[in-house]
Amino acid sequence: MVTTKKGKKLNQKTPLNENLLFDFFKKHKIKYCLFEHQPVFTVNEKPIVTAMDGVATSEPIPEPHFKTLFLKDQNGKFFLVSVFQEKRVDLNALNVALECGRFSFGKAEELLDFLQLTPGSVTPYGLLFDHQNKVQFVLDEDALINPWVSFHPMRNDMTVVTTLPDFLKCMKNMKHKARVLRIPEKKA
C-alpha cells in the first residue's frame, strides 16, 4: 500500500523500485550522478542535498530542474510532458499542438497502473514500466539547449542528473523516444 501526500491509499502491483532503473542504466551504459535529499512533492519545495553518489555533501543539484506532468486527453490517451520547473504550461494550447483532445491531469491510480509512480514522484523514468506504450513522452525543446537533465529516479527523495544525450538514449532504449516540441507557456 502506498499513501499519497494527500493521504490517499493506493494499492501497488509491484514494489516501486529505483534499483530497476539503476540496473537499466548499467545495462545501457547510462552515466549519472545521484543526489539524495529530503522528499519534495512540488517544484516549489527546494531539495536540501545530503549526499551525492553516496558521499555526504551539501552541493546543490545542477540546474536546470525539470517537472513532469502526467496528462490524459478526453479520448483516453496518456502523456508525460517534461519542462523546466518554472514553466507554466498552457494545456489548451498544448492539446492543439499535439493534435489531441482536451487535457486533464491523469489520476493517481492510472499513474501507478501505467508507470508504477505516485504523485510527487512523476518522472520520465517511469516509462520503464510502460511495456505496452500507452504513454507518449513529450520533452520541451527548451531542454535541448542544456548539457544535462535532472529527474527523480522513481522516488522523490533522490534526483538523477544525466547528460542530455544519455537521457535521450535512455528514453529510446525504454522504447519511448522523446517527442521534442516547443511546449506552449501560459501568458502571465
Side-chain angles (χ1 to χ4, degrees):
M1 191 70 78
V2 173
T3 304
T4 66
K5 184 178 182 181
K6 292 182 180 178
K8 188 171 186 176
K9 303 253 187 233
L10 300 174
N11 290 320
Q12 63 184 83
K13 292 181 186 175
T14 59
L16 301 177
N17 190 345
E18 72 281 358
N19 290 329
L20 294 173
L21 177 65
F22 299 137
D23 291 345
F24 183 88
F25 285 167
K26 185 176 181 180
K27 177 180 176 183
H28 295 283
K29 298 182 172 85
I30 306 290
K31 295 178 186 162
Y32 65 94
C33 285
L34 178 64
F35 290 84
E36 297 173 51
H37 49 76
Q38 90 286 5
V40 291
F41 293 92
T42 70
V43 296
N44 296 328
E45 297 176 68
K46 299 297 177 214
I48 300 168
V49 175
T50 57
M52 181 177 76
D53 292 334
V55 177
T57 187
S58 59
E59 288 291 316
I61 300 168
E63 292 187 10
H65 301 282
F66 290 82
K67 65 182 175 186
T68 302
L69 309 176
F70 179 61
L71 304 173
K72 180 181 182 179
D73 82 353
Q74 67 190 36
N75 302 316
K77 292 192 265 182
F78 292 89
F79 297 81
L80 272 185
V81 178
S82 292
V83 299
F84 291 145
Q85 74 176 14
E86 63 277 352
K87 189 169 198 171
R88 294 183 59 226
V89 177
D90 183 337
L91 295 181
N92 292 326
L94 180 59
N95 70 40
V96 171
L98 290 171
E99 300 176 348
C100 63
R102 185 179 172 93
F103 280 124
S104 61
F105 287 94
K107 295 178 181 166
E109 295 84 1
E110 295 165 328
L111 181 61
L112 186 64
D113 192 38
F114 292 127
L115 304 177
Q116 298 300 302
L117 298 172
T118 57
S121 300
V122 182
T123 173
Y125 296 127
L127 293 166
L128 180 66
F129 298 105
D130 182 26
H131 303 292
Q132 296 179 1
N133 283 45
K134 296 212 179 232
V135 181
Q136 185 179 140
F137 178 54
V138 182
L139 179 65
D140 192 355
E141 73 177 20
D142 291 345
L144 301 182
I145 63 171
N146 293 285
W148 54 78
V149 296
S150 58
F151 293 102
H152 292 305
M154 318 290 193
R155 49 190 278 186
N156 64 356
D157 62 349
M158 296 179 176
T159 299
V160 168
V161 177
T162 62
T163 65
L164 179 63
D166 269 354
F167 174 73
L168 295 173
K169 174 180 152 186
C170 183
M171 293 297 104
K172 186 177 176 186
N173 287 334
M174 287 182 185
K175 309 286 189 262
H176 284 82
K177 185 177 176 188
R179 178 174 177 186
V180 178
L181 176 76
R182 169 140 327 261
I183 304 294
E185 190 166 10
K186 272 189 181 177
K187 305 292 185 233

